Amino acid sequence: MSRKPPEVRVPRLVGLMAVDARETARARGLLLTAPDRPELPLAVVDYVVRQYPQPGAEVPRDSMVYVWFDFGPGEGGHEPRIPRPPTGGLQRELDEPGDPSMVLSSP
């Protein structure tokens, strides 16, 4: 009679650096792969932005967890922000940084 490998919970890897994600997965008995980083063993400071399976899922030990370090097209990211944040509120523009002759005027 063959024994089924014990189930393990997938940890949350999103937000971790590559080196920490690898260690966290390994400590749970999981394997890690990154479709957008073929050189995953060399990645260190890239941050995980997505993962599959989701955190908390129960999977057999030695299962593969997929992580991504870049946002896919249309998924967002940090820069550039499109659409731009709404304008409004108090704004001031200086000719030179620290120019004391420019003051904020009230409407």
Side-chain angles (χ1 to χ4, degrees):
M1 181 178 202
S2 64
R3 276 182 45 192
K4 182 179 172 187
E7 299 279 314
V8 295
R9 286 197 187 275
V10 176
R12 179 174 173 81
L13 302 173
V14 172
L16 296 180
M17 288 190 300
V19 66
D20 296 327
R22 281 194 309 268
E23 179 56 30
T24 300
R26 187 196 64 74
R28 296 277 178 103
L30 299 169
L31 306 172
L32 200 64
T33 190
D36 67 339
R37 289 287 191 283
E39 72 287 353
L40 179 61
L42 301 176
V44 177
V45 296
D46 296 312
Y47 285 88
V48 175
V49 297
R50 287 188 299 161
Q51 76 178 74
Y52 180 82
Q54 295 299 315
E58 288 191 5
V59 298
R61 184 172 302 283
D62 297 325
S63 290
M64 187 68 66
V65 176
Y66 296 85
V67 294
W68 289 265
F69 295 96
D70 289 331
F71 286 102
E75 289 189 71
H78 296 290
E79 295 300 332
R81 289 174 97 183
I82 299 174
R84 294 212 178 276
T87 58
L90 297 175
Q91 296 180 356
R92 139 172 110 164
E93 211 171 90
L94 302 176
D95 289 335
E96 296 280 330
D99 183 351
S101 66
M102 300 298 291
V103 294
L104 184 62
S105 60
S106 302

XYZ file of all heavy atoms in Angstrom:
827
model
N 0.847 -1.178 0.000
C 0.000 0.000 0.000
C 0.889 1.237 0.000
O 1.740 1.394 0.871
C -0.888 -0.036 1.232
C -1.818 1.087 1.329
S -2.713 0.699 2.805
C -4.109 1.410 2.890
N 0.697 2.113 -0.987
C 1.542 3.312 -1.056
C 0.943 4.432 -0.213
O -0.273 4.599 -0.162
C 1.704 3.770 -2.505
O 0.461 4.156 -3.022
N 1.829 5.141 0.428
C 1.382 6.270 1.252
C 1.287 7.518 0.411
O 2.169 7.816 -0.385
C 2.373 6.518 2.384
C 2.119 5.630 3.555
C 3.040 5.888 4.692
N 3.198 7.305 4.976
C 4.124 7.787 5.783
N 4.973 6.984 6.369
N 4.213 9.065 6.018
N 0.221 8.264 0.587
C 0.042 9.535 -0.089
C 0.905 10.565 0.636
O 0.935 10.586 1.871
C -1.439 9.932 -0.029
C -1.754 11.214 -0.728
C -3.242 11.509 -0.627
C -3.515 12.891 -1.160
N -4.892 13.298 -0.953
N 1.637 11.411 -0.134
C 2.449 12.439 0.545
C 1.560 13.361 1.380
O 0.429 13.634 1.000
C 3.101 13.219 -0.601
C 2.808 12.471 -1.852
C 1.709 11.499 -1.568
N 2.051 13.797 2.516
C 1.232 14.682 3.358
C 0.955 16.014 2.657
O 1.759 16.499 1.863
C 2.085 14.888 4.612
C 3.469 14.533 4.208
C 3.365 13.563 3.071
N -0.213 16.546 2.941
C -0.588 17.844 2.383
C 0.113 18.962 3.169
O 0.310 18.845 4.380
C -2.105 18.043 2.481
C -2.917 17.012 1.734
C -3.020 17.301 0.259
O -3.285 18.443 -0.120
O -2.824 16.363 -0.528
N 0.476 20.016 2.463
C 1.058 21.195 3.114
C 0.293 22.422 2.639
O -0.286 22.433 1.557
C 2.571 21.354 2.800
C 3.356 20.201 3.377
C 2.817 21.489 1.321
N 0.273 23.442 3.467
C -0.378 24.704 3.090
C 0.628 25.577 2.351
O 1.770 25.721 2.786
C -0.879 25.452 4.313
C -2.107 24.836 4.909
C -2.797 25.832 5.844
N -3.872 25.190 6.535
C -5.106 25.057 6.046
N -5.391 25.551 4.871
N -6.039 24.452 6.746
N 0.162 26.183 1.265
C 1.012 27.086 0.487
C 1.165 28.387 1.268
O 0.168 28.994 1.667
C 0.396 27.364 -0.906
C 1.223 28.377 -1.666
C 0.250 26.069 -1.694
N 2.395 28.823 1.516
C 2.597 30.082 2.240
C 2.364 31.280 1.330
O 2.369 31.158 0.099
C 4.064 30.007 2.666
C 4.708 29.167 1.616
C 3.660 28.161 1.194
N 2.170 32.437 1.921
C 2.055 33.678 1.150
C 3.465 34.088 0.732
O 4.320 34.367 1.569
C 1.411 34.776 1.982
C 1.303 36.097 1.232
C 0.534 37.129 2.043
N 0.573 38.412 1.392
C -0.208 38.782 0.383
N -1.095 37.933 -0.082
N -0.110 39.972 -0.166
N 3.682 34.150 -0.580
C 4.993 34.514 -1.112
C 4.990 35.913 -1.714
O 6.045 36.509 -1.890
C 5.431 33.488 -2.157
C 5.499 32.037 -1.641
C 5.784 31.075 -2.783
C 6.530 31.905 -0.546
N 3.804 36.443 -2.029
C 3.698 37.778 -2.616
C 4.283 38.796 -1.638
O 3.984 38.782 -0.448
C 2.233 38.133 -2.955
C 2.091 39.581 -3.389
C 1.711 37.194 -4.038
N 5.146 39.645 -2.172
C 5.790 40.673 -1.349
C 7.167 40.271 -0.856
O 7.922 41.114 -0.381
N 7.495 38.982 -0.973
C 8.818 38.529 -0.543
C 9.840 38.700 -1.660
O 9.502 38.619 -2.836
C 8.784 37.050 -0.150
C 7.922 36.658 1.045
C 8.010 35.157 1.273
C 8.344 37.418 2.283
N 11.091 38.896 -1.289
C 12.161 38.890 -2.270
C 12.365 37.458 -2.735
O 12.037 36.511 -2.024
C 13.457 39.442 -1.668
C 13.420 40.931 -1.428
S 15.033 41.632 -0.998
C 15.440 40.748 0.477
N 12.931 37.306 -3.916
C 13.127 35.985 -4.517
C 13.841 35.037 -3.564
O 13.431 33.886 -3.387
C 13.891 36.114 -5.831
N 14.904 35.489 -2.944
C 15.688 34.636 -2.052
C 14.839 34.163 -0.874
O 14.908 33.003 -0.471
C 16.979 35.355 -1.590
C 16.685 36.550 -0.716
C 17.911 34.384 -0.896
N 13.997 35.042 -0.334
C 13.137 34.670 0.791
C 11.997 33.756 0.343
O 11.605 32.840 1.074
C 12.578 35.915 1.474
C 13.679 36.763 2.093
O 14.686 36.185 2.551
O 13.542 37.998 2.118
N 11.459 33.993 -0.854
C 10.391 33.139 -1.379
C 10.907 31.715 -1.583
O 10.220 30.744 -1.247
C 9.854 33.719 -2.687
N 12.114 31.592 -2.137
C 12.698 30.254 -2.342
C 12.855 29.522 -1.007
O 12.517 28.353 -0.877
C 14.057 30.365 -3.036
C 13.972 30.584 -4.517
C 15.305 30.352 -5.193
N 16.417 31.067 -4.598
C 16.834 32.265 -4.975
N 16.238 32.902 -5.954
N 17.857 32.829 -4.378
N 13.390 30.213 -0.006
C 13.628 29.596 1.297
C 12.304 29.229 1.980
O 12.184 28.155 2.579
C 14.444 30.531 2.189
C 14.715 30.001 3.571
C 15.415 28.639 3.579
O 16.178 28.342 2.644
O 15.191 27.873 4.536
N 11.309 30.107 1.891
C 10.006 29.846 2.506
C 9.350 28.627 1.869
O 8.818 27.764 2.568
C 9.100 31.082 2.377
O 9.736 32.189 3.035
C 7.738 30.850 2.999
N 9.391 28.538 0.545
C 8.808 27.392 -0.153
C 9.563 26.111 0.220
O 8.951 25.078 0.523
C 8.836 27.613 -1.661
N 10.876 26.167 0.211
C 11.691 24.998 0.536
C 11.397 24.498 1.947
O 11.279 23.292 2.187
C 13.176 25.327 0.408
C 14.077 24.093 0.574
C 15.520 24.464 0.834
N 15.718 25.183 2.083
C 15.665 24.634 3.302
N 15.398 23.362 3.454
N 15.862 25.357 4.382
N 11.244 25.425 2.893
C 10.976 25.048 4.282
C 9.644 24.322 4.427
O 9.470 23.520 5.355
C 10.994 26.295 5.171
N 8.702 24.571 3.522
C 7.399 23.890 3.555
C 7.386 22.618 2.714
O 6.366 21.969 2.583
C 6.304 24.826 3.039
C 6.067 26.050 3.865
C 5.146 25.728 5.049
N 4.951 26.888 5.870
C 3.864 27.642 5.863
N 2.869 27.345 5.072
N 3.775 28.682 6.662
N 8.518 22.323 2.069
C 8.569 21.131 1.240
C 7.992 21.350 -0.144
O 7.519 20.413 -0.784
N 8.018 22.599 -0.620
C 7.477 22.936 -1.928
C 8.587 23.351 -2.875
O 9.645 23.821 -2.447
C 6.456 24.075 -1.792
C 5.246 23.751 -0.918
C 4.450 25.010 -0.620
C 4.376 22.698 -1.591
N 8.336 23.202 -4.155
C 9.272 23.631 -5.193
C 8.784 24.946 -5.766
O 7.582 25.202 -5.807
C 9.351 22.563 -6.286
C 9.694 21.153 -5.791
C 9.556 20.149 -6.923
C 11.088 21.125 -5.207
N 9.699 25.776 -6.222
C 9.352 27.101 -6.731
C 9.837 27.243 -8.162
O 10.969 26.857 -8.482
C 10.029 28.155 -5.846
C 9.481 29.567 -5.871
C 8.066 29.609 -5.335
C 10.361 30.486 -5.040
N 8.993 27.805 -9.018
C 9.389 28.123 -10.384
C 8.805 29.472 -10.750
O 7.795 29.891 -10.176
C 8.949 27.031 -11.385
O 9.565 27.285 -12.643
C 7.446 26.994 -11.554
N 9.462 30.136 -11.697
C 9.023 31.470 -12.124
C 9.021 31.541 -13.647
O 10.093 31.612 -14.250
C 9.943 32.539 -11.539
N 7.841 31.513 -14.278
C 7.773 31.576 -15.739
C 8.451 32.816 -16.326
O 8.966 32.758 -17.433
C 6.271 31.584 -16.030
C 5.652 30.933 -14.832
C 6.529 31.325 -13.675
N 8.461 33.936 -15.591
C 9.083 35.152 -16.124
C 10.541 35.318 -15.709
O 11.165 36.314 -16.021
C 8.267 36.396 -15.748
C 8.268 36.698 -14.247
O 8.546 35.779 -13.449
O 7.966 37.847 -13.881
N 11.105 34.347 -14.994
C 12.512 34.397 -14.576
C 13.157 33.027 -14.750
O 13.258 32.254 -13.788
C 12.645 34.796 -13.107
C 12.323 36.214 -12.784
C 13.422 37.152 -13.270
N 13.250 38.479 -12.758
C 12.377 39.361 -13.198
N 11.561 39.037 -14.148
N 12.318 40.567 -12.681
N 13.624 32.698 -15.963
C 14.275 31.399 -16.140
C 15.513 31.248 -15.252
O 15.898 30.144 -14.907
C 14.651 31.365 -17.617
C 14.235 32.642 -18.210
C 13.555 33.470 -17.164
N 16.097 32.362 -14.853
C 17.294 32.340 -14.007
C 16.906 32.476 -12.527
O 17.642 33.058 -11.736
C 18.257 33.456 -14.421
C 17.839 34.878 -14.063
C 16.688 35.462 -14.890
O 16.247 34.860 -15.857
O 16.226 36.561 -14.530
N 15.767 31.908 -12.128
C 15.273 32.037 -10.752
C 16.331 31.749 -9.691
O 16.419 32.495 -8.717
C 14.042 31.146 -10.533
C 13.464 31.174 -9.124
C 12.998 32.579 -8.745
C 12.322 30.190 -9.004
N 17.178 30.736 -9.842
C 18.185 30.513 -8.798
C 19.138 31.694 -8.615
O 19.736 31.850 -7.557
C 18.940 29.277 -9.285
C 17.975 28.572 -10.173
C 17.164 29.663 -10.827
N 19.263 32.550 -9.622
C 20.158 33.707 -9.509
C 19.428 34.964 -9.019
O 20.056 35.932 -8.632
C 20.799 34.006 -10.872
C 21.613 32.856 -11.482
C 22.117 33.251 -12.866
C 22.746 32.439 -10.577
N 18.095 34.950 -9.078
C 17.317 36.114 -8.646
C 17.418 36.237 -7.130
O 17.312 35.252 -6.410
C 15.868 35.972 -9.074
N 17.621 37.465 -6.665
C 17.773 37.680 -5.229
C 16.808 38.745 -4.736
O 15.995 38.495 -3.858
C 19.224 38.085 -4.881
C 19.357 38.383 -3.396
C 20.190 36.989 -5.286
N 16.876 39.950 -5.291
C 16.130 41.072 -4.740
C 14.844 41.402 -5.492
O 14.187 42.369 -5.165
C 17.006 42.340 -4.631
C 18.141 42.128 -3.660
C 17.520 42.762 -5.991
N 14.470 40.607 -6.491
C 13.190 40.831 -7.159
C 12.075 40.433 -6.197
O 12.207 39.486 -5.432
C 13.089 39.975 -8.429
C 14.130 40.357 -9.456
O 14.258 41.564 -9.715
O 14.816 39.466 -9.976
N 10.959 41.169 -6.249
C 9.839 40.896 -5.357
C 8.742 40.127 -6.083
O 8.392 40.445 -7.211
C 9.253 42.198 -4.801
C 10.129 42.812 -3.744
C 11.145 43.690 -4.093
C 9.955 42.495 -2.409
C 11.970 44.237 -3.123
C 10.770 43.040 -1.434
C 11.776 43.910 -1.796
O 12.592 44.451 -0.840
N 8.183 39.142 -5.417
C 7.084 38.348 -5.962
C 5.831 39.221 -5.999
O 5.476 39.844 -5.003
C 6.827 37.095 -5.092
C 5.609 36.330 -5.578
C 8.061 36.202 -5.044
N 5.157 39.257 -7.178
C 3.928 40.042 -7.305
C 2.687 39.175 -7.472
O 1.576 39.650 -7.268
C 4.012 41.063 -8.467
C 5.109 42.075 -8.210
C 4.196 40.372 -9.801
N 2.868 37.899 -7.861
C 1.747 36.958 -7.995
C 2.240 35.564 -7.673
O 3.427 35.280 -7.806
C 1.212 36.923 -9.433
C 0.432 38.117 -9.843
C -0.206 37.899 -11.204
N 0.825 37.673 -12.216
C 0.601 37.115 -13.393
N -0.577 36.698 -13.725
N 1.579 36.958 -14.265
N 1.302 34.708 -7.307
C 1.665 33.316 -7.068
C 0.474 32.419 -7.372
O -0.672 32.853 -7.337
C 2.125 33.101 -5.636
C 0.995 33.080 -4.605
C 1.504 32.812 -3.214
O 2.104 33.695 -2.621
N 1.248 31.617 -2.690
N 0.786 31.155 -7.694
C -0.227 30.131 -7.879
C 0.372 28.810 -7.442
O 1.479 28.496 -7.867
C -0.677 30.025 -9.344
C -1.719 28.952 -9.510
C -3.048 29.232 -9.218
C -1.361 27.671 -9.893
C -3.998 28.235 -9.329
C -2.305 26.673 -10.000
C -3.625 26.957 -9.716
O -4.568 25.979 -9.817
N -0.301 28.053 -6.624
C -1.598 28.263 -5.996
C -1.568 29.396 -4.976
O -0.518 29.811 -4.498
C -1.892 26.936 -5.306
C -0.829 25.973 -5.709
C 0.273 26.758 -6.310
N -2.757 29.838 -4.640
C -2.915 30.944 -3.694
C -2.478 30.524 -2.289
O -2.503 29.330 -1.959
C -4.380 31.392 -3.662
C -4.856 31.989 -4.972
C -4.076 33.228 -5.346
O -3.837 34.103 -4.518
N -3.653 33.312 -6.587
N -2.107 31.504 -1.453
C -1.741 31.188 -0.067
C -2.882 30.458 0.642
O -4.050 30.776 0.443
C -1.512 32.567 0.566
C -1.278 33.492 -0.566
C -2.028 32.934 -1.734
N -2.527 29.477 1.434
C -3.510 28.736 2.207
C -4.021 27.479 1.520
O -4.633 26.630 2.166
N -3.781 27.361 0.210
C -4.215 26.152 -0.502
C -3.449 24.949 0.038
O -2.270 25.047 0.368
C -3.981 26.311 -1.995
N -4.116 23.827 0.133
C -3.457 22.599 0.568
C -3.052 21.808 -0.662
O -3.867 21.544 -1.536
C -4.378 21.780 1.462
C -4.557 22.420 2.814
C -5.257 21.507 3.807
O -5.523 20.330 3.493
O -5.512 21.987 4.910
N -1.775 21.481 -0.743
C -1.215 20.759 -1.882
C -0.302 19.647 -1.355
O 0.182 19.724 -0.228
C -0.421 21.701 -2.817
C -1.324 22.784 -3.410
C 0.754 22.335 -2.098
N -0.050 18.639 -2.175
C 0.881 17.588 -1.741
C 2.300 18.148 -1.590
O 2.712 19.043 -2.324
C 0.836 16.568 -2.883
C -0.422 16.851 -3.627
C -0.678 18.313 -3.457
N 3.028 17.619 -0.627
C 4.438 17.983 -0.455
C 5.153 17.755 -1.788
O 4.772 16.883 -2.564
C 5.060 17.127 0.637
C 6.491 17.491 0.964
C 6.998 16.744 2.174
N 6.216 16.958 3.372
C 6.273 18.061 4.139
N 7.055 19.054 3.800
N 5.535 18.158 5.217
N 6.156 18.547 -2.091
C 6.919 18.511 -3.340
C 6.140 19.056 -4.533
O 6.540 18.843 -5.678
C 7.445 17.101 -3.660
C 8.430 16.612 -2.610
O 9.196 17.447 -2.080
O 8.426 15.409 -2.313
N 5.017 19.752 -4.290
C 4.276 20.393 -5.379
C 5.019 21.629 -5.853
O 5.811 22.231 -5.114
C 2.877 20.812 -4.917
O 2.073 19.690 -4.697
N 4.739 22.029 -7.084
C 5.336 23.222 -7.675
C 4.463 24.437 -7.373
O 3.247 24.392 -7.539
C 5.447 23.038 -9.191
C 6.206 24.136 -9.880
S 7.966 24.172 -9.466
C 8.527 22.636 -10.170
N 5.093 25.517 -6.915
C 4.417 26.793 -6.729
C 4.999 27.746 -7.770
O 6.220 27.871 -7.899
C 4.628 27.359 -5.303
C 3.992 28.732 -5.164
C 4.066 26.401 -4.264
N 4.121 28.394 -8.523
C 4.534 29.333 -9.564
C 4.480 30.744 -9.000
O 3.504 31.119 -8.356
C 3.604 29.232 -10.773
C 3.678 27.886 -11.442
C 2.909 26.819 -10.983
C 4.536 27.677 -12.510
C 2.993 25.571 -11.578
C 4.630 26.440 -13.117
C 3.857 25.385 -12.645
O 3.949 24.158 -13.236
N 5.556 31.503 -9.240
C 5.600 32.903 -8.815
C 5.998 33.764 -9.996
O 6.687 33.306 -10.910
C 6.585 33.126 -7.638
C 6.106 32.419 -6.384
C 7.990 32.699 -7.995
N 5.524 35.001 -9.981
C 5.872 35.977 -11.009
C 6.446 37.203 -10.324
O 6.005 37.585 -9.246
C 4.627 36.368 -11.813
C 4.143 35.284 -12.712
C 4.440 35.127 -14.032
C 3.278 34.198 -12.372
N 3.812 34.007 -14.533
C 3.093 33.411 -13.532
C 2.643 33.792 -11.190
C 2.296 32.279 -13.556
C 1.848 32.653 -11.216
C 1.692 31.914 -12.386
N 7.420 37.799 -10.974
C 8.087 38.978 -10.427
C 7.704 40.243 -11.164
O 7.948 41.337 -10.685
C 9.609 38.786 -10.466
C 10.050 37.667 -9.559
C 10.254 36.397 -10.053
C 10.224 37.886 -8.211
C 10.638 35.357 -9.223
C 10.603 36.855 -7.360
C 10.815 35.590 -7.876
N 7.111 40.128 -12.336
C 6.669 41.290 -13.105
C 5.169 41.211 -13.274
O 4.617 40.125 -13.423
C 7.306 41.300 -14.507
C 8.773 41.612 -14.476
O 9.211 42.339 -13.558
O 9.498 41.122 -15.352
N 4.523 42.386 -13.284
C 3.111 42.422 -13.589
C 2.931 42.147 -15.071
O 3.717 42.600 -15.885
C 2.521 43.799 -13.265
C 2.368 44.045 -11.797
C 3.269 44.830 -11.116
C 1.314 43.484 -11.092
C 3.127 45.061 -9.762
C 1.171 43.705 -9.731
C 2.073 44.490 -9.073
N 1.916 41.410 -15.414
C 1.601 41.163 -16.816
C 0.987 42.398 -17.444
O 0.644 43.360 -16.761
N 0.823 42.399 -18.771
C 0.219 43.555 -19.450
C -1.147 43.878 -18.861
O -1.968 42.995 -18.669
C 0.096 43.095 -20.903
C 1.061 41.971 -21.041
C 1.155 41.319 -19.688
N -1.350 45.154 -18.543
C -2.633 45.607 -18.026
C -2.883 45.301 -16.564
O -3.956 45.554 -16.055
N -1.901 44.756 -15.845
C -2.109 44.395 -14.443
C -1.655 45.469 -13.473
O -1.773 45.305 -12.284
C -1.380 43.097 -14.115
C -2.010 41.901 -14.732
C -1.402 40.650 -14.202
O -1.645 40.325 -13.022
O -0.676 39.999 -14.946
N -1.083 46.537 -13.963
C -0.657 47.585 -13.048
C 0.826 47.564 -12.833
O 1.582 47.221 -13.715
N 1.219 47.903 -11.658
C 2.626 48.041 -11.345
C 2.817 49.402 -10.719
O 1.856 50.086 -10.401
N 4.051 49.799 -10.596
C 4.303 51.068 -9.928
C 4.402 52.229 -10.897
O 3.878 53.288 -10.640
C 5.574 50.972 -9.088
C 5.421 49.976 -7.980
N 4.604 50.188 -6.910
C 5.954 48.758 -7.805
C 4.648 49.144 -6.099
N 5.467 48.261 -6.630
N 5.062 52.091 -11.989
C 5.241 53.196 -12.923
C 5.107 52.702 -14.339
O 5.530 51.599 -14.638
C 6.613 53.849 -12.737
C 6.797 54.512 -11.390
C 5.812 55.623 -11.093
O 5.317 56.276 -12.037
O 5.500 55.835 -9.923
N 4.641 53.464 -15.271
C 3.919 54.722 -15.079
C 2.500 54.455 -14.612
O 1.953 53.399 -14.861
C 3.923 55.341 -16.470
C 3.970 54.180 -17.392
C 4.758 53.104 -16.674
N 1.936 55.442 -13.944
C 0.571 55.309 -13.475
C -0.371 55.782 -14.568
O -0.370 56.948 -14.923
C 0.353 56.149 -12.222
C 1.055 55.588 -11.019
C 0.925 56.525 -9.875
N -0.180 56.110 -9.034
C -0.579 56.783 -7.978
N -0.004 57.902 -7.640
N -1.571 56.360 -7.252
N -1.140 54.868 -15.096
C -2.106 55.226 -16.135
C -3.430 54.620 -15.709
O -3.490 53.421 -15.476
C -1.667 54.678 -17.498
C -0.330 55.292 -17.867
C -2.710 54.945 -18.544
C 0.282 54.739 -19.126
N -4.498 55.354 -15.598
C -4.547 56.802 -15.769
C -3.873 57.506 -14.602
O -3.705 56.943 -13.535
C -6.046 57.101 -15.799
C -6.668 56.001 -15.011
C -5.792 54.796 -15.218
N -3.497 58.722 -14.853
C -2.828 59.516 -13.826
C -3.795 59.824 -12.691
O -5.001 59.883 -12.898
C -2.316 60.819 -14.432
C -1.229 60.598 -15.442
C -0.288 61.794 -15.387
N 0.825 61.641 -16.290
C 1.931 60.979 -15.992
N 2.063 60.388 -14.858
N 2.922 60.901 -16.847
N -3.282 60.040 -11.480
C -4.150 60.416 -10.366
C -4.843 61.744 -10.681
O -4.311 62.571 -11.425
C -3.191 60.589 -9.187
C -1.919 59.968 -9.600
C -1.891 59.929 -11.086
N -6.037 61.962 -10.126
C -6.748 63.208 -10.402
C -5.975 64.413 -9.888
O -5.275 64.335 -8.883
C -8.077 63.056 -9.665
C -7.861 61.963 -8.688
C -6.759 61.111 -9.204
N -6.088 65.503 -10.632
C -5.442 66.741 -10.201
C -6.367 67.464 -9.242
O -7.546 67.150 -9.142
C -5.133 67.645 -11.404
O -6.356 67.913 -12.074
C -4.162 66.963 -12.351
N -5.859 68.444 -8.577
C -6.670 69.225 -7.647
C -5.902 69.456 -6.373
O -4.786 68.984 -6.203
N -6.501 70.202 -5.485
C -5.829 70.498 -4.238
C -4.802 71.601 -4.428
O -4.667 72.191 -5.492
N -4.088 71.896 -3.382
C -3.083 72.939 -3.455
C -1.870 72.443 -4.226
O -1.397 71.343 -4.005
C -2.654 73.357 -2.049
C -3.753 73.971 -1.186
C -3.219 74.218 0.222
C -4.242 75.254 -1.798
N -1.395 73.245 -5.150
C -0.209 72.899 -5.916
C 0.716 74.096 -5.946
O 0.266 75.237 -5.907
C -0.582 72.508 -7.344
C -1.420 71.263 -7.411
C -1.762 70.913 -8.850
O -1.436 71.637 -9.768
N -2.428 69.793 -9.015
N 1.977 73.840 -6.057
C 2.936 74.926 -6.169
C 4.061 74.447 -7.052
O 4.429 73.283 -7.015
C 3.396 75.316 -4.778
C 4.832 75.605 -4.608
C 5.110 76.156 -3.247
N 5.830 75.152 -2.496
C 6.484 75.403 -1.407
N 6.473 76.596 -0.882
N 7.146 74.476 -0.790
N 4.574 75.348 -7.855
C 5.662 75.022 -8.748
C 6.791 76.000 -8.485
O 6.581 77.200 -8.448
C 5.173 75.170 -10.192
C 5.850 74.237 -11.144
C 5.166 74.288 -12.481
O 5.579 75.125 -13.299
O 4.228 73.511 -12.693
N 7.971 75.518 -8.292
C 9.115 76.375 -8.018
C 10.017 76.412 -9.240
O 10.185 75.420 -9.936
C 9.904 75.832 -6.824
C 9.132 75.671 -5.515
C 10.032 75.046 -4.469
C 8.607 77.006 -5.051
N 10.609 77.619 -9.492
C 11.558 77.724 -10.589
C 12.795 76.884 -10.288
O 13.301 76.175 -11.129
C 11.979 79.181 -10.808
C 10.828 80.001 -11.394
O 9.948 79.402 -12.039
O 10.821 81.208 -11.178
N 13.295 76.986 -9.082
C 14.462 76.245 -8.630
C 14.096 75.567 -7.315
O 13.327 76.121 -6.530
C 15.632 77.200 -8.377
C 16.127 77.926 -9.616
C 17.033 77.038 -10.450
O 17.716 76.170 -9.881
O 17.025 77.213 -11.668
N 14.626 74.418 -7.052
C 14.341 73.801 -5.754
C 14.745 74.726 -4.622
O 15.835 75.294 -4.623
C 15.202 72.532 -5.753
C 15.476 72.252 -7.189
C 15.467 73.585 -7.882
N 13.837 74.923 -3.670
C 14.136 75.756 -2.515
C 14.073 77.244 -2.791
O 14.561 78.036 -2.008
N 13.470 77.679 -3.911
C 13.386 79.100 -4.256
C 12.467 79.805 -3.263
O 11.264 79.605 -3.272
C 12.845 79.254 -5.681
C 12.800 80.701 -6.162
O 13.028 81.618 -5.338
O 12.545 80.901 -7.357
N 13.009 80.650 -2.366
C 12.201 81.292 -1.325
C 11.287 82.400 -1.870
O 10.391 82.842 -1.188
C 13.231 81.863 -0.350
C 14.453 82.050 -1.169
C 14.417 80.991 -2.231
N 11.485 82.840 -3.115
C 10.667 83.929 -3.639
C 9.297 83.442 -4.082
O 8.397 84.251 -4.292
C 11.374 84.626 -4.809
O 11.482 83.723 -5.898
N 9.126 82.146 -4.209
C 7.829 81.605 -4.618
C 7.028 81.267 -3.366
O 7.527 80.625 -2.462
C 8.015 80.342 -5.455
C 8.822 80.551 -6.734
S 8.063 81.686 -7.876
C 6.662 80.740 -8.387
N 5.789 81.701 -3.301
C 4.929 81.407 -2.162
C 3.651 80.779 -2.671
O 3.221 81.017 -3.795
C 4.617 82.662 -1.311
C 5.855 83.187 -0.642
C 3.960 83.718 -2.173
N 3.022 80.032 -1.856
C 1.756 79.400 -2.172
C 0.659 80.432 -2.030
O 0.519 81.064 -0.992
C 1.524 78.213 -1.240
C 0.301 77.374 -1.474
C 0.379 76.738 -2.867
C 0.187 76.307 -0.439
N -0.126 80.629 -3.073
C -1.203 81.616 -3.002
C -2.521 80.922 -2.783
O -2.743 79.806 -3.239
C -1.250 82.449 -4.293
O -1.473 81.608 -5.387
N -3.409 81.564 -2.072
C -4.743 81.015 -1.808
C -5.709 81.548 -2.833
O -5.584 82.688 -3.281
C -5.215 81.446 -0.418
O -4.304 81.020 0.548
N -6.715 80.779 -3.237
C -7.707 81.264 -4.206
C -8.599 82.321 -3.631
O -8.768 82.510 -2.516
C -8.507 80.009 -4.572
C -8.107 78.934 -3.639
C -6.928 79.394 -2.898
